[in-house]
Amino acid sequence: MAQDTHVSLANEIVDLLSQTEVCLNLCRDEESVREVLPQLQELAKLAADIKERQDKLPDLTPEEDREIASLIRTYLTLQRAIDEHVDRIIAEQLLSPELAAILCISPDITPSSAPTTN
């Protein structure tokens, strides 16, 4: 197994966000929400694992910082898409307690009380 670097973990985060976006895009009714829960739970475990490995790394080097900066546009695009899916899921009242727990969202949130993202 290759040794973790800030760049390798940043790429894992981008991949994790991409997989999360795909899962949330599939959430169109109560059944589809239930069907993606196992995959989203695995992605949440992966996110925790990445965070744990990231915490063990030394400070970023200037070169790593530049490489990671090249991923920012992709990261932001994925994060916006995820936010839009979450907003839709809340608006369509598809936010189950299980999905809320995975996404770390209050399960009693309503579209009018949902935080706005810009």
Side-chain angles (χ1 to χ4, degrees), residues 37 41 59 90:
L37 287 176
Q41 288 169 334
D59 290 342
I90 292 168

Side-chain angles (χ1 to χ4, degrees), residues 72-91:
I72 294 297
R73 178 171 279 145
T74 302
Y75 172 89
L76 292 174
T77 298
L78 288 167
Q79 190 59 56
R80 271 191 298 275
I82 289 168
D83 290 345
E84 289 171 5
H85 289 307
V86 169
D87 290 345
R88 175 187 51 76
I89 289 166
I90 292 168

